[in-house]
Amino acid sequence: MNAANTANAYKNQQIMTASPEELTLMLYNGAIRFITESMQALDRDNLEKANAANLRAQDIVREFMCTLDMQYEISQNYYKLYDYIEYRLIQANIKKDKSQLEEAKQMLTELRDTWAQAMKLARGQQVAAK
């Protein structure tokens, strides 16, 4: 098995054994990574790669939007936030505008960091309860 196959097998195993909370964190990291790739591709004037990476980030943001439980007010607020991020990604893709990509990346990074902190707090409460 070559290195690429080994890495893919490891990644698949990570995904298959991850908790829903860890999967959400992985999605945030993926969206941020794809935005970064899109920005780097724009720097190299590789519009095809920039578009492909941007579309993958959009897919992740749409997945966040689709999985919200809209019976809660906070979900409605998150939906608006994700909708704005998706709008920025679309506009960045149309206009080849790195500043809009940077704004989307910053917002997703803040959401990811908050999510990671919430995971740590929840784990701490689970440990304290035992």
Side-chain angles (χ1 to χ4, degrees):
M1 190 181 278
N2 67 26
N5 287 343
T6 303
N8 283 336
Y10 176 75
K11 192 68 169 169
N12 285 338
Q13 185 64 26
Q14 266 188 315
I15 291 168
M16 297 304 288
T17 59
S19 69
E21 296 82 13
E22 291 167 330
L23 287 172
T24 299
L25 189 61
M26 287 179 187
L27 285 171
Y28 277 123
N29 286 331
I32 292 163
R33 186 181 76 243
F34 291 131
I35 292 171
T36 300
E37 287 177 14
S38 184
M39 293 168 67
Q40 291 170 345
L42 284 176
D43 285 340
R44 293 187 304 274
D45 209 27
N46 186 341
L47 301 183
E48 187 175 330
K49 185 170 183 173
N51 175 61
N54 186 308
L55 290 176
R56 292 187 75 183
Q58 288 179 45
D59 287 344
I60 292 171
V61 172
R62 271 191 227 103
E63 182 65 23
F64 285 140
M65 293 167 76
C66 291
T67 58
L68 289 169
D69 185 345
M70 297 307 284
Q71 69 179 322
Y72 300 103
E73 184 179 342
I74 193 167
S75 295
Q76 295 168 22
N77 294 335
Y78 270 99
Y79 186 90
K80 292 173 189 172
L81 189 57
Y82 291 136
D83 188 51
Y84 179 77
I85 293 168
E86 181 189 30
Y87 174 78
R88 283 290 168 226
L89 290 170
I90 291 169
Q91 290 302 305
N93 211 13
I94 292 169
K95 298 175 181 175
K96 309 304 177 211
D97 182 356
K98 278 182 54 180
S99 67
Q100 294 193 54
L101 286 172
E102 187 59 51
E103 182 179 0
K105 180 180 173 181
Q106 179 182 354
M107 293 175 78
L108 285 167
T109 300
E110 289 175 17
L111 287 165
R112 188 260 331 260
D113 293 348
T114 301
W115 185 259
Q117 187 64 32
M119 287 175 61
K120 285 181 187 173
L121 290 172
R123 283 189 191 129
Q125 289 175 352
Q126 288 173 349
V127 169
K130 289 184 181 178

